[in-house]
mmCIF file of all heavy atoms in Angstrom:
data_model
loop_
_atom_site.group_PDB
_atom_site.id
_atom_site.type_symbol
_atom_site.label_atom_id
_atom_site.label_comp_id
_atom_site.label_asym_id
_atom_site.label_seq_id
_atom_site.Cartn_x
_atom_site.Cartn_y
_atom_site.Cartn_z
ATOM 1 N N ASN A 208 53.912 99.118 109.148
ATOM 2 C CA ASN A 208 53.581 99.704 107.852
ATOM 3 C C ASN A 208 52.430 100.682 108.046
ATOM 4 O O ASN A 208 51.288 100.274 108.234
ATOM 5 C CB ASN A 208 53.192 98.606 106.855
ATOM 6 C CG ASN A 208 52.878 99.173 105.484
ATOM 7 O OD1 ASN A 208 53.069 100.366 105.230
ATOM 8 N ND2 ASN A 208 52.415 98.319 104.593
ATOM 9 N N GLY A 210 51.401 102.701 105.809
ATOM 10 C CA GLY A 210 50.626 102.691 104.580
ATOM 11 C C GLY A 210 50.434 104.047 103.937
ATOM 12 O O GLY A 210 51.283 104.927 104.014
ATOM 13 N N VAL A 211 49.276 104.228 103.287
ATOM 14 C CA VAL A 211 48.969 105.466 102.574
ATOM 15 C C VAL A 211 47.792 106.205 103.199
ATOM 16 O O VAL A 211 47.166 107.036 102.551
ATOM 17 C CB VAL A 211 48.685 105.191 101.078
ATOM 18 C CG1 VAL A 211 49.949 104.755 100.371
ATOM 19 C CG2 VAL A 211 47.572 104.155 100.903
ATOM 20 N N ARG A 231 57.499 102.245 108.023
ATOM 21 C CA ARG A 231 57.415 102.762 106.653
ATOM 22 C C ARG A 231 56.035 103.328 106.371
ATOM 23 O O ARG A 231 55.025 102.771 106.797
ATOM 24 C CB ARG A 231 57.716 101.662 105.634
ATOM 25 C CG ARG A 231 57.740 102.185 104.191
ATOM 26 C CD ARG A 231 58.097 101.122 103.179
ATOM 27 N NE ARG A 231 58.339 101.713 101.877
ATOM 28 C CZ ARG A 231 58.647 101.023 100.774
ATOM 29 N NH1 ARG A 231 58.759 99.714 100.831
ATOM 30 N NH2 ARG A 231 58.855 101.636 99.624
ATOM 31 N N SER A 232 56.005 104.451 105.648
ATOM 32 C CA SER A 232 54.778 104.937 105.021
ATOM 33 C C SER A 232 55.134 105.258 103.585
ATOM 34 O O SER A 232 56.056 106.035 103.324
ATOM 35 C CB SER A 232 54.239 106.173 105.742
ATOM 36 O OG SER A 232 52.993 106.555 105.187
ATOM 37 N N SER A 233 54.408 104.673 102.637
ATOM 38 C CA SER A 233 54.857 104.724 101.251
ATOM 39 C C SER A 233 53.678 104.608 100.314
ATOM 40 O O SER A 233 52.700 103.922 100.612
ATOM 41 C CB SER A 233 55.829 103.568 100.987
ATOM 42 O OG SER A 233 56.132 103.444 99.623
ATOM 43 N N GLY A 234 53.766 105.287 99.141
ATOM 44 C CA GLY A 234 52.772 105.043 98.121
ATOM 45 C C GLY A 234 52.590 106.178 97.145
ATOM 46 O O GLY A 234 52.977 107.319 97.387
ATOM 47 N N GLU A 235 51.982 105.861 96.007
ATOM 48 C CA GLU A 235 51.643 106.836 94.977
ATOM 49 C C GLU A 235 50.520 107.751 95.455
ATOM 50 O O GLU A 235 50.489 108.934 95.145
ATOM 51 C CB GLU A 235 51.221 106.089 93.715
ATOM 52 C CG GLU A 235 50.759 106.967 92.568
ATOM 53 C CD GLU A 235 51.915 107.574 91.790
ATOM 54 O OE1 GLU A 235 53.026 107.023 91.853
ATOM 55 O OE2 GLU A 235 51.690 108.601 91.114
ATOM 56 N N HIS A 238 49.692 110.431 101.284
ATOM 57 C CA HIS A 238 49.658 109.955 102.672
ATOM 58 C C HIS A 238 50.270 111.073 103.510
ATOM 59 O O HIS A 238 51.472 111.174 103.682
ATOM 60 C CB HIS A 238 50.380 108.607 102.839
ATOM 61 C CG HIS A 238 51.706 108.500 102.157
ATOM 62 N ND1 HIS A 238 52.902 108.465 102.828
ATOM 63 C CD2 HIS A 238 52.018 108.398 100.855
ATOM 64 C CE1 HIS A 238 53.893 108.347 101.974
ATOM 65 N NE2 HIS A 238 53.385 108.308 100.766
ATOM 66 N N LEU A 257 61.405 104.843 107.049
ATOM 67 C CA LEU A 257 61.426 105.158 105.625
ATOM 68 C C LEU A 257 60.094 105.773 105.232
ATOM 69 O O LEU A 257 59.040 105.150 105.376
ATOM 70 C CB LEU A 257 61.679 103.897 104.790
ATOM 71 C CG LEU A 257 61.604 104.084 103.265
ATOM 72 C CD1 LEU A 257 62.663 105.054 102.771
ATOM 73 C CD2 LEU A 257 61.718 102.739 102.539
ATOM 74 N N LEU A 258 60.143 107.012 104.731
ATOM 75 C CA LEU A 258 58.972 107.689 104.187
ATOM 76 C C LEU A 258 59.231 107.909 102.708
ATOM 77 O O LEU A 258 60.258 108.489 102.333
ATOM 78 C CB LEU A 258 58.732 109.032 104.877
ATOM 79 C CG LEU A 258 58.602 109.010 106.406
ATOM 80 C CD1 LEU A 258 58.436 110.429 106.946
ATOM 81 C CD2 LEU A 258 57.427 108.145 106.835
ATOM 82 N N ASP A 259 58.316 107.467 101.853
ATOM 83 C CA ASP A 259 58.544 107.694 100.430
ATOM 84 C C ASP A 259 57.230 107.781 99.676
ATOM 85 O O ASP A 259 56.188 107.329 100.142
ATOM 86 C CB ASP A 259 59.451 106.608 99.847
ATOM 87 C CG ASP A 259 58.867 105.217 99.885
ATOM 88 O OD1 ASP A 259 58.467 104.760 100.971
ATOM 89 O OD2 ASP A 259 58.814 104.580 98.837
ATOM 90 N N GLY A 260 57.304 108.415 98.514
ATOM 91 C CA GLY A 260 56.128 108.604 97.690
ATOM 92 C C GLY A 260 55.574 110.012 97.797
ATOM 93 O O GLY A 260 56.293 110.979 98.008
ATOM 94 N N TRP A 300 61.147 109.820 95.137
ATOM 95 C CA TRP A 300 60.921 109.116 93.873
ATOM 96 C C TRP A 300 61.366 109.930 92.664
ATOM 97 O O TRP A 300 60.907 109.696 91.554
ATOM 98 C CB TRP A 300 59.450 108.722 93.698
ATOM 99 C CG TRP A 300 58.954 107.693 94.660
ATOM 100 C CD1 TRP A 300 59.607 107.203 95.762
ATOM 101 C CD2 TRP A 300 57.698 107.020 94.629
ATOM 102 N NE1 TRP A 300 58.835 106.273 96.412
ATOM 103 C CE2 TRP A 300 57.655 106.141 95.738
ATOM 104 C CE3 TRP A 300 56.599 107.072 93.788
ATOM 105 C CZ2 TRP A 300 56.560 105.325 96.010
ATOM 106 C CZ3 TRP A 300 55.511 106.271 94.054
ATOM 107 C CH2 TRP A 300 55.478 105.397 95.143
#
Side-chain angles (χ1 to χ4, degrees):
N208 182 7
V211 291
R231 184 177 190 181
S232 185
S233 171
E235 177 80 22
H238 45 109
L257 175 62
L258 305 177
D259 64 306
W300 293 9

